[in-house]
């Protein structure tokens, strides 16, 4: 929960919870980021280069990650503040930025919930969708509601339909025994990152070690998970990886010459 209070976003999540509890057995727990011990990211890059356990901030970040990994599904919920997520939500995302390099939530489904007075839902949902997918989540539902006071009856009904539809998509995903096959964007990300991290052992050993231990450097691996990849997506991804690898080598060589 990115909101600092029990307002519109909390109510949207309560409506979502009520629908979920009618459809499947579910244990629903709130994690209020506003009340969590989360210090702002210092930008030191320690989590990228040496591992998240070396972060100088000693707070709840790793505990929150562990709770997420123990869940079947995560609801990322935030009101729109200044055309973006709230401060607590942004701090949370910044503190888990190592997950962009070392994705790990492939067994979890994500549902994205935003509330806005008039505008901003689309942009914030797009941002949260990018974050969740890069962290490994299968995004299974999005709900953006308009909550300007007073909320007219037609808008209340539309908000209800949006939440109901998202809850249905989330429920269906939680009940599926496997993930959906990766899309073209997901395959792009995998090949682009593999091209980079294969060559960054000296610069970013934590990333290199993580990818090597996962076996993702192996040529016969087509994606982070064993889910089937569309042959055309794989072919395009291979081209992306080749181009990316050349660019990374070029940048590394240029850096060496400059030193």
């Amino acid at each position: 929960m990115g909101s600092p209070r029990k307002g519109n976003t909390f109510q949207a999540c309560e409506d979502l919870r009520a629908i979920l509890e009618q459809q499947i057995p579910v244990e629903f727990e709130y994690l209020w980021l506003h009340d969590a011990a989360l210090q702002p990211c210092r930008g030191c890059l320690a989590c990228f280069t040496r591992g998240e356990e070396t972060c100088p901030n000693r707070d709840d970040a790793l505990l929150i990650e562990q709770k997420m990994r123990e869940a079947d599904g995560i609801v990322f919920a935030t009101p729109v503040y200044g055309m973006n997520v709230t401060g607590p939500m942004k701090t949370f995302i910044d503190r888990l930025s190592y997950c962009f390099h070392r994705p790990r939530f492939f067994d979890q489904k994500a549902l994205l919930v935003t509330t806005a007075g008039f505008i901003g839902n689309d942009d914030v949902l797009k941002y949260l969708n990018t974050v969740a997918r890069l962290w490994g989540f299968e995004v299974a539902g999005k709900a953006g509601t308009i909550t300007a006071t007073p909320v007219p009856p037609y808008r209340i009904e539309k908000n209800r339909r949006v939440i109901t539809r998202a809850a249905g998509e989330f429920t269906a995903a939680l009940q599926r025994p496997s993930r959906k096959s990766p899309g073209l964007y997901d395959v792009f990300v995998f090949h682009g990152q593999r091209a980079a991290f294969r060559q960054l052992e000296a610069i970013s050993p934590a990333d290199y070690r993580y990818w090597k231990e996962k076996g993702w450097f192996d040529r016969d691996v087509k994606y982070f998970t064993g889910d089937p990849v569309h042959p055309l997506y794989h072919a395009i991804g291979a081209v992306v990886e080749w181009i990316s690898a050349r660019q990374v080598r070029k940048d590394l060589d240029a850096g060496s010459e400059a030193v």
Side-chain angles (χ1 to χ4, degrees):
M1 172 62 71
S3 177
R5 65 190 185 92
K6 291 186 176 181
N8 294 319
T9 306
F10 174 71
Q11 186 56 56
C13 287
E14 284 292 275
D15 294 341
L16 170 68
R17 176 169 71 164
I19 297 171
L20 289 175
E21 290 176 341
Q22 291 175 2
Q23 297 178 350
I24 56 175
V26 60
E27 294 180 13
F28 198 101
E29 178 185 356
Y30 282 98
L31 197 160
W32 291 85
L33 296 174
H34 179 71
D35 296 328
L38 279 178
Q39 300 176 37
C41 175
R42 302 187 189 187
C44 65
L45 302 180
C47 64
F48 286 159
T49 58
R50 302 195 302 274
E52 59 271 23
E53 66 281 357
T54 68
C55 177
N57 291 335
R58 300 303 177 184
D59 54 20
D60 291 343
L62 296 182
L63 294 176
I64 292 174
E65 184 209 321
Q66 185 59 37
K67 288 184 70 68
M68 292 167 62
R69 296 181 73 168
E70 292 170 355
D72 298 305
I74 307 294
V75 179
F76 294 93
T78 180
V80 175
Y81 281 11
M83 300 302 294
N84 210 317
V85 298
T86 62
M89 180 65 77
K90 186 61 172 68
T91 296
F92 157 72
I93 292 171
D94 290 347
R95 290 301 312 284
L96 269 70
S97 284
Y98 54 87
C99 295
F100 289 113
H101 287 199
R102 304 189 290 276
R104 58 199 62 196
F105 298 105
F106 298 106
D107 295 328
Q108 287 77 23
K109 308 299 193 298
L111 174 60
L112 315 177
V113 176
T114 62
T115 61
F118 291 102
I119 60 175
N121 278 322
D122 290 345
D123 289 337
V124 175
L125 285 172
K126 182 178 180 180
Y127 170 65
L128 289 175
N129 179 67
T130 299
V131 171
R133 289 174 69 179
L134 289 176
W135 286 5
F137 286 98
E138 175 188 336
V139 176
K142 306 172 189 176
T145 63
I146 300 297
T147 56
T149 304
V151 184
Y154 84 91
R155 179 61 68 181
I156 293 175
E157 177 59 25
K158 185 173 182 180
N159 288 342
R160 186 192 65 79
R161 291 198 303 268
V162 167
I163 293 294
T164 301
R165 182 180 68 249
E169 294 172 348
F170 195 44
T171 298
L174 290 171
Q175 292 178 310
R176 281 199 306 269
S178 61
R179 294 171 56 102
K180 287 184 177 180
S181 297
L184 180 58
Y185 173 80
D186 304 305
V187 176
F188 268 17
V189 169
F190 171 75
H191 284 279
Q193 288 190 325
R194 182 162 72 177
F197 294 136
R198 180 182 278 123
Q199 303 178 72
L200 297 181
E201 182 177 7
I203 297 175
S204 189
D207 292 333
Y208 179 87
R209 182 172 61 252
Y210 187 85
W211 277 68
K212 185 175 180 62
E213 291 173 352
K214 293 291 184 181
W216 293 338
F217 288 144
D218 296 346
R219 281 294 180 185
D220 60 341
V221 174
K222 299 179 179 179
Y223 187 62
F224 297 109
T225 66
D227 300 298
V229 176
H230 193 288
L232 178 60
Y233 295 172
H234 174 63
I236 296 174
V239 174
V240 169
E241 183 171 343
W242 180 75
I243 295 173
S244 299
R246 289 190 61 189
Q247 184 61 52
V248 172
R249 284 196 298 272
K250 181 179 178 180
D251 292 343
L252 291 174
D253 291 343
S256 300
E257 293 174 1
V259 173

